[in-house]
Amino acid sequence: MAGLILAIETSCDDTCAAVLDGPRIVANAISSQAAAHARFGGVVPEVASRHHLELTVPVVEAALAEADARLEEIDAVAVTVGPGLIGALLVGVSTAKAIAAPRRLPLVPVDHLQGHVAANFLEPDPLEPPFICLIASGGHTLLAAVHDPATHQVLGQTLDDAAGEAFDKVARLLGLGYPGGPALERLAADGDPAGFELPVAMSRDPGLDFSFSGLKTALVYLCRDLGPDGVAERRADLAASFQASAVGQLVAKLDRAIQAGDWNAVALGGGVAANSPLREAVASLCERRGLRLKLVPPELCTDNAAMIGSAARFAAPVPYPDYLSYDAFPR
Ligand code: KG4
Ligand code: ZN
């Protein structure tokens, strides 16, 4: 795809729009709804779609303003079509169609997870396949093999909760706010990761899938046995032990995937990639295995539209009017 791409991403709780010129980000606008969902302790689908309805047009305008570009200069519109919350996705898909159709522009439907992979193809320093990508966020946890920039193969994924979801649930158990990952990491910094013996889930499973709900349940039982005073006294140790076990599982599966193939690099994506103990563990694993570690900046790790525009460069554009009947898909 040549020319300027306008990209829109509304699959979860961030309203995002970006303008790209090839691998270069010209504008990357985002309006996070985290505060709107905080009082519910998690993302509420209906609240998310309502916010997207209000925010999508202003965020697209903000991206165009930041790019100093007019709608007339855009050559294609890219949009996340799934997976995600259906009501949220529909807002982005309808907006993209409404922008593209009157000008007969092509539309590029993008898979959200391929977007996370494609964050690694952006300037500066775009990554060359083959590489392994570990994506861990509040909504997904997966290991992807990337052999060509247009696609990825899922090597393993979570069988239940996403990694970030587990951080959020345990954070709530320990009386921390939403999103809980960053707060849990801060609390864990003062705790003993060996304070409680928690198994690393799936370590005996020969596959590359993940599971986090058992770990969360183990924490629920631990807290019940400790009682409110015991929990209050050992909060930091509980957080550190949980974090060590969750990171241990991510790193163990990543190492297994590394050893099963021939790779140039390992890339980390998703909100959980902000976790320092995870970053440090993956960095030392990469050093041990002689692989480069690619870490995109935090704003490209979490949901954003620049990664959707990046994926669109390698995807097939759908000409007008074929995309008018295009739908969003929740999974
Ligand atoms: O990618 P993201 O911003 O949004 C989606 O889920 O799509 O990821 C947010 C998730 C939340 O579950 C949050 O608790 C987690 O990433 N997270 C962290 C950290 N920062 C964000 N988890 C652990 N440690 C962190 N430092
Ligand atoms: Zn995501």
Side-chain angles (χ1 to χ4, degrees):
M1 250 332 310
L4 279 191
I5 299 183
L6 170 68
I8 298 173
E9 149 69 46
T10 63
S11 67
C12 188
D13 63 340
D14 293 312
T15 314
C16 321
V19 177
L20 276 92
D21 184 2
R24 189 171 68 87
I25 303 173
V26 187
N28 194 17
I30 176 159
S31 176
S32 170
Q33 304 177 10
H37 297 277
R39 67 193 177 98
F40 302 108
V43 176
V44 183
E46 194 192 330
V47 174
S49 355
R50 212 165 335 117
H51 276 86
H52 286 306
L53 278 173
E54 286 169 12
L55 294 169
T56 303
V57 171
V59 170
V60 167
E61 281 170 347
L64 289 170
E66 189 187 329
D68 198 18
R70 287 169 301 122
L71 216 39
E72 292 71 37
E73 294 168 83
I74 298 297
D75 298 293
V77 182
V79 65
T80 306
V81 291
L85 304 169
I86 188 65
L89 288 162
L90 282 172
V91 178
V93 172
S94 311
T95 307
K97 284 185 195 173
I99 291 173
R103 299 193 52 241
R104 310 294 192 254
L105 294 179
L107 187 100
V108 193
V110 174
D111 172 85
H112 179 80
L113 295 162
Q114 181 60 26
H116 277 294
V117 167
N120 296 293
F121 304 135
L122 289 162
E123 279 181 358
D125 198 21
L127 189 58
E128 296 268 346
F131 61 88
I132 292 251
C133 191
L134 171 63
I135 303 164
S137 74
H140 17 260
T141 307
L142 96 162
L143 269 172
V146 185
H147 293 282
D148 109 51
T151 184
H152 67 267
Q153 286 83 45
V154 177
L155 301 175
Q157 57 195 318
T158 183
L159 302 175
D160 39 58
D161 291 350
E165 188 180 0
F167 270 89
D168 293 337
K169 286 177 174 170
V170 171
R172 184 146 61 150
L173 200 62
L174 300 177
L176 304 166
Y178 171 86
L184 192 139
E185 182 187 336
R186 282 193 296 276
L187 178 61
D190 297 324
D192 177 6
F196 293 93
E197 205 177 316
L198 292 167
V200 171
M202 307 292 283
S203 53
R204 277 195 295 270
D205 180 284
L208 293 171
D209 286 331
F210 302 91
S211 168
F212 292 96
S213 75
L215 178 56
K216 175 201 66 194
T217 307
L219 260 289
V220 170
Y221 287 136
L222 260 181
C223 289
R224 197 193 56 189
D225 295 346
L226 285 167
D229 292 344
V231 170
E233 205 176 300
R234 307 282 311 271
R235 271 170 93 230
D237 291 342
L238 286 163
S241 303
F242 161 78
Q243 180 174 253
S245 171
V247 167
Q249 185 187 165
L250 290 167
V251 174
K253 295 287 165 159
L254 175 60
D255 191 25
R256 201 172 287 171
I258 288 173
Q259 294 189 59
D262 215 354
W263 319 99
N264 287 337
V266 167
L268 273 189
V272 183
N275 186 271
S276 313
L278 174 65
R279 282 176 175 243
E280 285 155 18
V282 173
S284 68
L285 171 64
C286 287
E287 207 176 293
R288 242 177 11 253
R289 299 287 175 222
L291 289 175
R292 178 185 164 199
L293 171 60
K294 163 85 175 174
L295 290 171
V296 296
E299 67 274 16
L300 297 178
C301 265
T302 55
D303 289 350
N304 66 86
M307 70 184 195
I308 302 304
S310 178
R313 291 179 54 225
F314 305 98
V318 181
Y320 176 87
D322 300 6
Y323 54 78
L324 292 180
S325 57
Y326 238 84
D327 246 333
F329 64 94
R331 20 186 102 252

